[in-house]
Amino acid sequence: MDGITQLVPRDRFLPLCPRETRVGQARRAGIEIEFGGLTEAEAAEVVSRTLGGKVREIAAHDLEVDTTGWGAVSICLDTAFRDKAGSALADLGLQLGRAVVPVEVVTPPLSPEQLPEADRLRGALRAAGAQGSREGMFLGFGLHLNPEIASPEAADLVPVVRAFALIEDWLRKADPIDPSRRLLPFVDPYPRSFVDRLAAAGRGWSRDDFVDAYLAETPTRNRGLDMLPCLAHLAGDRVAQALGPGADAVGARPTFHYRLPDCRIDEPGWRLAYEWNRWVMVERLAADTAALEGLAADWLDYRAALTTTRSDWFDHLDRVLCGLELWDGACGSDATTGR
């Protein structure tokens, strides 16, 4: 881990940026944790003991706990076989696949005050034997964060995607994701052509411009920041047209679906707050217009140079982000640009 990564707080959840939606409500976020080492029934019992509420079966390998404070928490075996459970072949596939197929705990949208409870649940699952991405080869378990968008307007969507695209290389390399997740297609990086378009024209895009560019360049769920659920919420017909039958698998919701982080639930020093705060760094960069515009210009210069390598961009990002202090600064116009 580099110096910046060591400075990212692990003991507290930094506030989203902005903290509230455009209608003045605190932004909420759902959390999805994938892991091995426990069956879905065992994981559901941990959820019940930790948060309160009774376990009930929705379907085979699909459970729910109606918790006293959060509402319904879903616990399931995260595989397409689950939908076909009951046939001999599907049940055999589920049993054989348990070594590499994760159990997934999915929370409802949580308020900022509820986030520490999510980390308490993480600790309880670890104590019960949950295993993370680096426990074995080909696991590829992830942590997915679903922060609510501030509004459906381009001004609240495009800068965040633009900021993520520009620093994705740093997020992926500063604390590298597990090799199994790099090899599998689930969190492929954005195409360089899409980053080029975001850097060159993203600031002036309308929402329609953004939808057009995203669906043209990256019409897939397999990205570190998957915007298809959000776009399905905002422009469902256009997503359905672009994806065809695959659109049925996209659950529409007004969130950023950040799926890059590993789940390292069995590692003593790992906390949900750490990965959450790395996402907050993206939002803080998005809110700092001067810093974001400077970084976009730097990207275009980097891409135009014939002698640069991919590591050159990472090194540049490391220097710029160190100056911005996004892990500990203010949000928006009060943030120091360091430029």
Side-chain angles (χ1 to χ4, degrees):
M1 296 187 187
D2 73 357
I4 297 176
T5 296
Q6 293 176 2
L7 294 170
V8 176
R10 290 161 170 77
D11 60 345
R12 66 191 186 278
F13 290 82
L14 298 175
L16 293 171
C17 183
R19 298 179 186 227
E20 297 180 342
T21 67
R22 292 286 183 173
V23 296
Q25 297 176 339
R27 290 172 63 201
R28 299 179 299 166
I31 298 176
E32 305 168 29
I33 309 174
E34 299 175 343
F35 52 86
L38 301 174
T39 67
E40 57 276 16
E42 291 168 339
E45 287 297 330
V46 174
V47 173
S48 176
R49 289 197 308 268
T50 306
L51 301 175
K54 292 185 178 181
V55 179
R56 68 186 183 99
E57 185 176 21
I58 305 300
H61 309 286
D62 192 351
L63 307 172
E64 186 175 271
V65 178
D66 190 12
T67 66
T68 53
W70 290 4
V73 175
S74 171
I75 306 96
C76 63
L77 196 61
D78 187 21
T79 174
F81 278 117
R82 186 180 77 247
D83 298 330
K84 303 176 179 64
S87 72
L89 180 60
D91 288 344
L92 177 61
L94 284 170
Q95 294 307 317
L96 292 176
R98 279 191 179 275
V100 294
V101 174
V103 169
E104 184 175 39
V105 171
V106 181
T107 78
L110 304 178
S111 69
E113 295 76 18
Q114 292 170 322
L115 293 174
E117 282 291 288
D119 204 59
R120 188 166 72 89
L121 175 60
R122 183 252 348 135
L125 290 165
R126 176 179 180 267
Q131 298 174 342
S133 307
R134 300 196 284 197
E135 181 64 21
M137 295 180 63
F138 309 118
L139 296 184
F141 303 155
L143 170 73
H144 302 175
L145 306 176
N146 295 280
E148 183 180 7
I149 60 176
S151 86
E153 301 305 319
D156 289 315
L157 298 174
V158 178
V160 176
V161 179
R162 202 173 182 222
F164 173 83
L166 288 168
I167 71 168
E168 183 178 10
D169 280 1
W170 183 87
L171 290 167
R172 299 174 73 92
K173 188 175 178 181
D175 187 1
I177 60 175
D178 187 77
S180 63
R181 301 189 78 229
R182 293 200 301 270
L183 292 172
L184 295 170
F186 303 139
V187 289
D188 285 345
Y190 279 152
R192 307 303 251 188
S193 57
F194 183 49
V195 184
D196 292 343
R197 291 176 70 171
L198 282 165
R203 185 182 182 188
W205 276 350
S206 67
R207 193 174 75 189
D208 285 344
D209 293 332
F210 171 63
V211 173
D212 288 343
Y214 195 95
L215 293 178
E217 295 280 359
T218 177
T220 173
R221 300 296 313 276
N222 298 328
R223 299 296 181 202
L225 175 57
D226 170 21
M227 289 299 294
L228 286 180
C230 184
L231 299 189
H233 172 76
L234 300 174
D237 291 346
R238 294 169 67 185
V239 171
Q241 183 177 10
L243 270 62
D248 294 340
V250 180
R253 52 192 184 272
T255 69
F256 299 105
H257 185 46
Y258 177 53
R259 50 186 290 145
L260 181 63
D262 291 338
C263 175
R264 301 174 184 173
I265 195 167
D266 53 333
E267 299 178 25
W270 186 78
R271 299 289 185 272
L272 299 185
Y274 166 71
E275 300 294 359
W276 171 272
N277 292 337
R278 277 168 41 103
W279 169 256
V280 172
M281 290 174 64
V282 174
E283 294 203 355
R284 287 183 170 182
L285 175 60
D288 189 338
T289 303
L292 187 58
E293 286 303 310
L295 202 56
D298 292 346
W299 170 265
L300 295 174
D301 290 343
Y302 157 77
R303 290 283 279 164
L306 299 178
T307 58
T308 56
T309 66
R310 190 149 191 166
S311 63
D312 292 333
W313 180 245
F314 172 82
D315 292 340
H316 178 70
L317 285 174
D318 204 48
R319 291 191 297 272
V320 170
L321 295 177
C322 185
L324 292 173
E325 297 186 355
L326 298 171
W327 62 89
D328 198 30
C331 174
S333 59
D334 293 332
T336 179
T337 64
R339 299 184 64 86

mmCIF file of all heavy atoms in Angstrom, residues 3-31:
data_model
loop_
_atom_site.group_PDB
_atom_site.id
_atom_site.type_symbol
_atom_site.label_atom_id
_atom_site.label_comp_id
_atom_site.label_asym_id
_atom_site.label_seq_id
_atom_site.Cartn_x
_atom_site.Cartn_y
_atom_site.Cartn_z
ATOM 1 N N GLY A 3 1.534 5.568 0.477
ATOM 2 C CA GLY A 3 1.331 6.460 1.609
ATOM 3 C C GLY A 3 -0.082 6.970 1.735
ATOM 4 O O GLY A 3 -0.621 7.070 2.842
ATOM 5 N N ILE A 4 -0.713 7.336 0.616
ATOM 6 C CA ILE A 4 -2.081 7.850 0.668
ATOM 7 C C ILE A 4 -3.015 6.782 1.207
ATOM 8 O O ILE A 4 -3.867 7.047 2.063
ATOM 9 C CB ILE A 4 -2.547 8.322 -0.722
ATOM 10 C CG1 ILE A 4 -1.692 9.496 -1.206
ATOM 11 C CG2 ILE A 4 -4.023 8.725 -0.684
ATOM 12 C CD1 ILE A 4 -2.017 9.952 -2.609
ATOM 13 N N THR A 5 -2.867 5.563 0.719
ATOM 14 C CA THR A 5 -3.735 4.474 1.154
ATOM 15 C C THR A 5 -3.667 4.277 2.659
ATOM 16 O O THR A 5 -4.674 4.013 3.316
ATOM 17 C CB THR A 5 -3.348 3.184 0.417
ATOM 18 O OG1 THR A 5 -3.588 3.363 -0.989
ATOM 19 C CG2 THR A 5 -4.139 2.008 0.910
ATOM 20 N N GLN A 6 -2.476 4.432 3.213
ATOM 21 C CA GLN A 6 -2.336 4.270 4.663
ATOM 22 C C GLN A 6 -3.028 5.389 5.435
ATOM 23 O O GLN A 6 -3.382 5.214 6.607
ATOM 24 C CB GLN A 6 -0.849 4.218 5.023
ATOM 25 C CG GLN A 6 -0.148 2.978 4.493
ATOM 26 C CD GLN A 6 1.343 2.989 4.777
ATOM 27 O OE1 GLN A 6 1.858 3.908 5.401
ATOM 28 N NE2 GLN A 6 2.044 1.968 4.300
ATOM 29 N N LEU A 7 -3.239 6.540 4.782
ATOM 30 C CA LEU A 7 -3.866 7.679 5.447
ATOM 31 C C LEU A 7 -5.394 7.656 5.383
ATOM 32 O O LEU A 7 -6.057 8.401 6.105
ATOM 33 C CB LEU A 7 -3.359 8.993 4.831
ATOM 34 C CG LEU A 7 -1.877 9.305 5.057
ATOM 35 C CD1 LEU A 7 -1.448 10.490 4.197
ATOM 36 C CD2 LEU A 7 -1.601 9.590 6.524
ATOM 37 N N VAL A 8 -5.948 6.821 4.514
ATOM 38 C CA VAL A 8 -7.410 6.750 4.402
ATOM 39 C C VAL A 8 -7.983 6.219 5.707
ATOM 40 O O VAL A 8 -7.587 5.137 6.168
ATOM 41 C CB VAL A 8 -7.826 5.843 3.224
ATOM 42 C CG1 VAL A 8 -9.335 5.686 3.175
ATOM 43 C CG2 VAL A 8 -7.314 6.417 1.904
ATOM 44 N N PRO A 9 -8.922 6.929 6.340
ATOM 45 C CA PRO A 9 -9.437 6.482 7.650
ATOM 46 C C PRO A 9 -10.114 5.119 7.571
ATOM 47 O O PRO A 9 -10.800 4.801 6.606
ATOM 48 C CB PRO A 9 -10.454 7.569 8.013
ATOM 49 C CG PRO A 9 -10.052 8.766 7.229
ATOM 50 C CD PRO A 9 -9.480 8.237 5.948
ATOM 51 N N ARG A 10 -9.894 4.330 8.602
ATOM 52 C CA ARG A 10 -10.538 3.031 8.743
ATOM 53 C C ARG A 10 -11.482 2.981 9.934
ATOM 54 O O ARG A 10 -12.258 2.048 10.062
ATOM 55 C CB ARG A 10 -9.467 1.936 8.897
ATOM 56 C CG ARG A 10 -8.686 1.676 7.617
ATOM 57 C CD ARG A 10 -7.376 0.966 7.900
ATOM 58 N NE ARG A 10 -6.733 0.513 6.668
ATOM 59 C CZ ARG A 10 -6.073 1.293 5.829
ATOM 60 N NH1 ARG A 10 -5.965 2.588 6.072
ATOM 61 N NH2 ARG A 10 -5.521 0.805 4.740
ATOM 62 N N ASP A 11 -11.403 3.989 10.791
ATOM 63 C CA ASP A 11 -12.159 3.969 12.049
ATOM 64 C C ASP A 11 -13.428 4.811 12.002
ATOM 65 O O ASP A 11 -14.148 4.912 12.983
ATOM 66 C CB ASP A 11 -11.276 4.462 13.197
ATOM 67 C CG ASP A 11 -10.781 5.893 12.983
ATOM 68 O OD1 ASP A 11 -10.875 6.404 11.837
ATOM 69 O OD2 ASP A 11 -10.301 6.501 13.957
ATOM 70 N N ARG A 12 -13.724 5.413 10.861
ATOM 71 C CA ARG A 12 -14.926 6.244 10.743
ATOM 72 C C ARG A 12 -15.324 6.343 9.277
ATOM 73 O O ARG A 12 -14.491 6.188 8.385
ATOM 74 C CB ARG A 12 -14.683 7.641 11.318
ATOM 75 C CG ARG A 12 -13.670 8.464 10.558
ATOM 76 C CD ARG A 12 -13.290 9.729 11.343
ATOM 77 N NE ARG A 12 -12.433 10.623 10.585
ATOM 78 C CZ ARG A 12 -11.112 10.487 10.465
ATOM 79 N NH1 ARG A 12 -10.511 9.455 11.036
ATOM 80 N NH2 ARG A 12 -10.396 11.352 9.761
ATOM 81 N N PHE A 13 -16.605 6.593 9.052
ATOM 82 C CA PHE A 13 -17.138 6.760 7.707
ATOM 83 C C PHE A 13 -17.210 8.250 7.389
ATOM 84 O O PHE A 13 -17.948 8.994 8.040
ATOM 85 C CB PHE A 13 -18.538 6.146 7.604
ATOM 86 C CG PHE A 13 -18.559 4.647 7.672
ATOM 87 C CD1 PHE A 13 -18.524 3.989 8.891
ATOM 88 C CD2 PHE A 13 -18.610 3.889 6.510
ATOM 89 C CE1 PHE A 13 -18.555 2.608 8.963
ATOM 90 C CE2 PHE A 13 -18.644 2.501 6.563
ATOM 91 C CZ PHE A 13 -18.613 1.853 7.794
ATOM 92 N N LEU A 14 -16.440 8.696 6.414
ATOM 93 C CA LEU A 14 -16.513 10.090 5.990
ATOM 94 C C LEU A 14 -17.867 10.357 5.333
ATOM 95 O O LEU A 14 -18.455 9.466 4.705
ATOM 96 C CB LEU A 14 -15.388 10.397 5.003
ATOM 97 C CG LEU A 14 -13.959 10.250 5.534
ATOM 98 C CD1 LEU A 14 -12.961 10.473 4.405
ATOM 99 C CD2 LEU A 14 -13.695 11.204 6.686
ATOM 100 N N PRO A 15 -18.393 11.584 5.454
ATOM 101 C CA PRO A 15 -19.685 11.879 4.835
ATOM 102 C C PRO A 15 -19.587 11.925 3.319
ATOM 103 O O PRO A 15 -18.549 12.313 2.760
ATOM 104 C CB PRO A 15 -20.036 13.259 5.409
ATOM 105 C CG PRO A 15 -18.732 13.861 5.790
ATOM 106 C CD PRO A 15 -17.860 12.718 6.225
ATOM 107 N N LEU A 16 -20.664 11.512 2.669
ATOM 108 C CA LEU A 16 -20.739 11.637 1.226
ATOM 109 C C LEU A 16 -20.666 13.113 0.840
ATOM 110 O O LEU A 16 -20.893 14.005 1.663
ATOM 111 C CB LEU A 16 -22.030 11.006 0.698
ATOM 112 C CG LEU A 16 -22.137 9.490 0.850
ATOM 113 C CD1 LEU A 16 -23.540 9.010 0.485
ATOM 114 C CD2 LEU A 16 -21.097 8.764 -0.008
ATOM 115 N N CYS A 17 -20.382 13.359 -0.432
ATOM 116 C CA CYS A 17 -20.176 14.727 -0.902
ATOM 117 C C CYS A 17 -20.957 14.918 -2.213
ATOM 118 O O CYS A 17 -20.515 14.433 -3.252
ATOM 119 C CB CYS A 17 -18.688 14.964 -1.115
ATOM 120 S SG CYS A 17 -18.247 16.622 -1.607
ATOM 121 N N PRO A 18 -22.130 15.572 -2.136
ATOM 122 C CA PRO A 18 -22.732 16.248 -0.986
ATOM 123 C C PRO A 18 -23.397 15.256 -0.027
ATOM 124 O O PRO A 18 -23.690 14.119 -0.390
ATOM 125 C CB PRO A 18 -23.786 17.143 -1.629
ATOM 126 C CG PRO A 18 -24.207 16.389 -2.848
ATOM 127 C CD PRO A 18 -22.955 15.731 -3.358
ATOM 128 N N ARG A 19 -23.648 15.740 1.184
ATOM 129 C CA ARG A 19 -24.265 14.881 2.196
ATOM 130 C C ARG A 19 -25.742 14.639 1.912
ATOM 131 O O ARG A 19 -26.283 13.604 2.285
ATOM 132 C CB ARG A 19 -24.146 15.525 3.582
ATOM 133 C CG ARG A 19 -22.716 15.735 4.050
ATOM 134 C CD ARG A 19 -22.694 16.398 5.398
ATOM 135 N NE ARG A 19 -21.347 16.755 5.820
ATOM 136 C CZ ARG A 19 -20.825 16.513 7.012
ATOM 137 N NH1 ARG A 19 -21.560 15.901 7.926
ATOM 138 N NH2 ARG A 19 -19.597 16.879 7.316
ATOM 139 N N GLU A 20 -26.391 15.605 1.276
ATOM 140 C CA GLU A 20 -27.835 15.530 1.068
ATOM 141 C C GLU A 20 -28.184 15.509 -0.411
ATOM 142 O O GLU A 20 -27.403 15.951 -1.265
ATOM 143 C CB GLU A 20 -28.524 16.737 1.726
ATOM 144 C CG GLU A 20 -28.364 16.785 3.236
ATOM 145 C CD GLU A 20 -29.074 17.992 3.841
ATOM 146 O OE1 GLU A 20 -29.385 18.947 3.090
ATOM 147 O OE2 GLU A 20 -29.315 17.977 5.064
ATOM 148 N N THR A 21 -29.371 14.996 -0.702
ATOM 149 C CA THR A 21 -29.904 15.080 -2.051
ATOM 150 C C THR A 21 -30.343 16.505 -2.331
ATOM 151 O O THR A 21 -30.365 17.356 -1.442
ATOM 152 C CB THR A 21 -31.110 14.149 -2.222
ATOM 153 O OG1 THR A 21 -32.191 14.640 -1.397
ATOM 154 C CG2 THR A 21 -30.777 12.718 -1.809
ATOM 155 N N ARG A 22 -30.702 16.779 -3.566
ATOM 156 C CA ARG A 22 -31.149 18.123 -3.931
ATOM 157 C C ARG A 22 -32.453 18.519 -3.247
ATOM 158 O O ARG A 22 -32.771 19.705 -3.178
ATOM 159 C CB ARG A 22 -31.336 18.208 -5.444
ATOM 160 C CG ARG A 22 -30.041 18.128 -6.240
ATOM 161 C CD ARG A 22 -29.236 19.398 -6.159
ATOM 162 N NE ARG A 22 -28.033 19.323 -6.975
ATOM 163 C CZ ARG A 22 -27.209 20.337 -7.189
ATOM 164 N NH1 ARG A 22 -27.442 21.504 -6.606
ATOM 165 N NH2 ARG A 22 -26.136 20.179 -7.936
ATOM 166 N N VAL A 23 -33.190 17.547 -2.728
ATOM 167 C CA VAL A 23 -34.431 17.871 -2.010
ATOM 168 C C VAL A 23 -34.211 17.915 -0.508
ATOM 169 O O VAL A 23 -35.162 17.966 0.268
ATOM 170 C CB VAL A 23 -35.559 16.874 -2.369
ATOM 171 C CG1 VAL A 23 -35.906 16.984 -3.851
ATOM 172 C CG2 VAL A 23 -35.175 15.442 -2.012
ATOM 173 N N GLY A 24 -32.940 17.880 -0.073
ATOM 174 C CA GLY A 24 -32.624 18.113 1.327
ATOM 175 C C GLY A 24 -32.671 16.911 2.235
ATOM 176 O O GLY A 24 -32.670 17.072 3.462
ATOM 177 N N GLN A 25 -32.671 15.705 1.682
ATOM 178 C CA GLN A 25 -32.668 14.501 2.508
ATOM 179 C C GLN A 25 -31.264 13.896 2.545
ATOM 180 O O GLN A 25 -30.529 13.933 1.544
ATOM 181 C CB GLN A 25 -33.653 13.474 1.960
ATOM 182 C CG GLN A 25 -35.096 13.961 1.978
ATOM 183 C CD GLN A 25 -36.046 12.964 1.348
ATOM 184 O OE1 GLN A 25 -35.635 12.113 0.570
ATOM 185 N NE2 GLN A 25 -37.325 13.077 1.685
ATOM 186 N N ALA A 26 -30.873 13.349 3.696
ATOM 187 C CA ALA A 26 -29.565 12.709 3.805
ATOM 188 C C ALA A 26 -29.450 11.579 2.789
ATOM 189 O O ALA A 26 -30.372 10.758 2.658
ATOM 190 C CB ALA A 26 -29.361 12.169 5.218
ATOM 191 N N ARG A 27 -28.357 11.558 2.044
ATOM 192 C CA ARG A 27 -28.152 10.496 1.070
ATOM 193 C C ARG A 27 -27.901 9.171 1.788
ATOM 194 O O ARG A 27 -27.138 9.099 2.753
ATOM 195 C CB ARG A 27 -26.961 10.830 0.172
ATOM 196 C CG ARG A 27 -27.222 11.990 -0.786
ATOM 197 C CD ARG A 27 -25.946 12.385 -1.510
ATOM 198 N NE ARG A 27 -25.453 11.290 -2.338
ATOM 199 C CZ ARG A 27 -24.180 11.207 -2.751
ATOM 200 N NH1 ARG A 27 -23.294 12.106 -2.368
ATOM 201 N NH2 ARG A 27 -23.803 10.205 -3.514
ATOM 202 N N ARG A 28 -28.554 8.145 1.333
ATOM 203 C CA ARG A 28 -28.402 6.811 1.911
ATOM 204 C C ARG A 28 -27.578 5.935 0.966
ATOM 205 O O ARG A 28 -27.300 6.312 -0.172
ATOM 206 C CB ARG A 28 -29.771 6.202 2.171
ATOM 207 C CG ARG A 28 -30.626 7.012 3.152
ATOM 208 C CD ARG A 28 -31.980 6.365 3.360
ATOM 209 N NE ARG A 28 -32.743 6.293 2.109
ATOM 210 C CZ ARG A 28 -33.833 5.553 1.934
ATOM 211 N NH1 ARG A 28 -34.284 4.801 2.930
ATOM 212 N NH2 ARG A 28 -34.473 5.556 0.781
ATOM 213 N N ALA A 29 -27.207 4.760 1.459
ATOM 214 C CA ALA A 29 -26.404 3.853 0.645
ATOM 215 C C ALA A 29 -26.664 2.414 1.058
ATOM 216 O O ALA A 29 -26.697 2.105 2.253
ATOM 217 C CB ALA A 29 -24.914 4.166 0.790
ATOM 218 N N GLY A 30 -26.850 1.557 0.079
ATOM 219 C CA GLY A 30 -26.923 0.119 0.329
ATOM 220 C C GLY A 30 -25.534 -0.494 0.221
ATOM 221 O O GLY A 30 -24.655 0.031 -0.467
ATOM 222 N N ILE A 31 -25.342 -1.603 0.909
ATOM 223 C CA ILE A 31 -24.054 -2.302 0.924
ATOM 224 C C ILE A 31 -24.281 -3.771 0.598
ATOM 225 O O ILE A 31 -25.214 -4.390 1.115
ATOM 226 C CB ILE A 31 -23.371 -2.161 2.296
ATOM 227 C CG1 ILE A 31 -23.086 -0.683 2.595
ATOM 228 C CG2 ILE A 31 -22.081 -2.970 2.353
ATOM 229 C CD1 ILE A 31 -22.504 -0.438 3.980
#
